Amino acid sequence: QVQLVESGGGLVQAGGSLRLSCAASGRTFSSYAMGWFRQAPGKEREFVEAISWKGGNTYYADSVKGRFTISRDDAKNTVYLQMNSLKPEDTAVYYCAADPSYGSIWPYNFGSWGQGTQVTVSS
């Protein structure tokens, strides 16, 4: 029901910043809860941050608290992940996800996923 395409990944030194973008299709993007996940080599996929369909609520993992910020621009059908003070342990493939259920509440049911974008943080 929704297609997601991530971009903005790349190489960055520890302490640097990156801004990831996720472009989504669909007429009802504004009603989707959106989230970011990541998966490091040899590790399971983990939750990073999410934003409610109204944009008023955000949820985040303790590991990124104070460093990452999720936001959305419904007019552009895009969700962002601003990553600051990056650490080597942030290295992973980052995935965008969507919960297309109208008025969904946390915890979300992310049923649509992007292909991922690589983020590599050097020490």
Side-chain angles (χ1 to χ4, degrees):
Q1 293 184 340
V2 58
Q3 289 76 49
L4 306 172
V5 181
E6 304 95 334
S7 63
L11 301 173
V12 65
Q13 295 184 44
S17 299
L18 282 175
R19 186 195 190 205
L20 305 184
S21 298
C22 174
S25 65
R27 297 179 180 179
T28 57
F29 174 80
S30 62
S31 68
Y32 302 163
M34 302 293 297
W36 288 96
F37 292 74
R38 66 186 182 186
Q39 186 168 21
K43 303 294 183 180
E44 295 296 315
R45 183 179 299 180
E46 66 174 341
F47 168 75
V48 176
E49 196 159 0
I51 187 167
S52 66
W53 67 282
K54 293 183 177 180
N57 295 317
T58 58
Y59 309 88
Y60 48 83
D62 288 341
S63 60
V64 305
K65 183 179 181 180
R67 300 189 299 120
F68 291 10
T69 302
I70 190 171
S71 62
R72 64 191 300 158
D73 186 339
D74 292 341
K76 296 182 178 180
N77 282 11
T78 302
V79 64
Y80 305 95
L81 184 66
Q82 178 66 49
M83 306 185 294
N84 299 323
S85 302
L86 283 162
K87 305 174 181 179
E89 51 263 45
D90 294 319
T91 295
V93 176
Y94 283 71
Y95 298 91
C96 178
D99 180 348
S101 300
Y102 181 83
S104 62
I105 60 174
W106 182 263
Y108 302 125
N109 294 317
F110 293 107
S112 298
W113 298 82
Q115 294 299 306
T117 185
Q118 177 70 48
V119 172
T120 302
V121 184
S122 62
S123 59

Short mmCIF file of all heavy atoms in Angstrom, two decimals, residues 38-46 89 91-93:
data_model
loop_
_atom_site.label_atom_id
_atom_site.label_comp_id
_atom_site.label_asym_id
_atom_site.label_seq_id
_atom_site.Cartn_x
_atom_site.Cartn_y
_atom_site.Cartn_z
N ARG A 38 17.35 -0.07 12.29
CA ARG A 38 18.68 -0.29 11.75
C ARG A 38 19.13 -1.72 12.04
O ARG A 38 18.67 -2.35 12.98
CB ARG A 38 19.69 0.70 12.33
CG ARG A 38 19.95 0.56 13.82
CD ARG A 38 20.83 1.68 14.32
NE ARG A 38 21.16 1.55 15.73
CZ ARG A 38 21.82 2.46 16.43
NH1 ARG A 38 22.23 3.58 15.84
NH2 ARG A 38 22.07 2.25 17.72
N GLN A 39 20.04 -2.19 11.22
CA GLN A 39 20.58 -3.52 11.39
C GLN A 39 22.07 -3.49 11.10
O GLN A 39 22.48 -3.19 9.98
CB GLN A 39 19.88 -4.52 10.48
CG GLN A 39 20.30 -5.96 10.72
CD GLN A 39 19.40 -6.95 10.01
OE1 GLN A 39 18.72 -6.61 9.05
NE2 GLN A 39 19.38 -8.18 10.49
N ALA A 40 22.86 -3.80 12.11
CA ALA A 40 24.30 -3.86 11.97
C ALA A 40 24.71 -5.26 11.54
O ALA A 40 23.97 -6.22 11.75
CB ALA A 40 24.97 -3.49 13.30
N PRO A 41 25.90 -5.40 10.94
CA PRO A 41 26.36 -6.72 10.52
C PRO A 41 26.36 -7.72 11.67
O PRO A 41 26.89 -7.44 12.74
CB PRO A 41 27.78 -6.44 10.03
CG PRO A 41 27.75 -5.02 9.58
CD PRO A 41 26.85 -4.33 10.58
N GLY A 42 25.75 -8.87 11.44
CA GLY A 42 25.70 -9.90 12.45
C GLY A 42 24.74 -9.65 13.59
O GLY A 42 24.71 -10.42 14.55
N LYS A 43 23.96 -8.59 13.50
CA LYS A 43 23.02 -8.24 14.56
C LYS A 43 21.59 -8.27 14.05
O LYS A 43 21.33 -8.24 12.85
CB LYS A 43 23.33 -6.84 15.11
CG LYS A 43 24.74 -6.67 15.64
CD LYS A 43 24.99 -7.53 16.86
CE LYS A 43 26.38 -7.28 17.42
NZ LYS A 43 26.64 -8.11 18.62
N GLU A 44 20.66 -8.32 14.99
CA GLU A 44 19.25 -8.27 14.65
C GLU A 44 18.83 -6.84 14.39
O GLU A 44 19.45 -5.88 14.88
CB GLU A 44 18.41 -8.86 15.78
CG GLU A 44 18.62 -10.34 16.02
CD GLU A 44 18.20 -11.17 14.84
OE1 GLU A 44 17.10 -10.91 14.30
OE2 GLU A 44 18.94 -12.07 14.45
N ARG A 45 17.78 -6.69 13.62
CA ARG A 45 17.24 -5.37 13.36
C ARG A 45 16.72 -4.77 14.67
O ARG A 45 16.06 -5.47 15.45
CB ARG A 45 16.12 -5.45 12.33
CG ARG A 45 15.54 -4.11 11.93
CD ARG A 45 14.45 -4.28 10.88
NE ARG A 45 14.97 -4.89 9.67
CZ ARG A 45 14.22 -5.15 8.60
NH1 ARG A 45 12.93 -4.88 8.60
NH2 ARG A 45 14.78 -5.71 7.54
N GLU A 46 17.00 -3.50 14.89
CA GLU A 46 16.55 -2.85 16.11
C GLU A 46 15.83 -1.54 15.81
O GLU A 46 16.11 -0.86 14.83
CB GLU A 46 17.73 -2.58 17.05
CG GLU A 46 18.75 -1.59 16.52
CD GLU A 46 19.81 -1.23 17.55
OE1 GLU A 46 19.60 -1.46 18.75
OE2 GLU A 46 20.88 -0.73 17.13
N GLU A 89 29.33 2.68 16.70
CA GLU A 89 28.29 1.70 16.94
C GLU A 89 26.97 2.03 16.25
O GLU A 89 26.04 1.23 16.27
CB GLU A 89 28.05 1.49 18.44
CG GLU A 89 27.84 2.78 19.22
CD GLU A 89 29.11 3.27 19.89
OE1 GLU A 89 30.17 3.26 19.25
OE2 GLU A 89 29.03 3.66 21.07
N THR A 91 26.91 2.42 13.10
CA THR A 91 27.09 1.84 11.78
C THR A 91 26.07 0.72 11.55
O THR A 91 26.00 -0.22 12.33
CB THR A 91 28.51 1.29 11.61
OG1 THR A 91 29.44 2.38 11.67
CG2 THR A 91 28.66 0.59 10.27
N ALA A 92 25.31 0.85 10.50
CA ALA A 92 24.26 -0.13 10.20
C ALA A 92 23.57 0.25 8.90
O ALA A 92 23.78 1.33 8.36
CB ALA A 92 23.23 -0.17 11.34
N VAL A 93 22.73 -0.66 8.43
CA VAL A 93 21.81 -0.33 7.36
C VAL A 93 20.55 0.21 8.03
O VAL A 93 19.99 -0.43 8.91
CB VAL A 93 21.46 -1.55 6.49
CG1 VAL A 93 20.42 -1.18 5.44
CG2 VAL A 93 22.72 -2.08 5.81
#
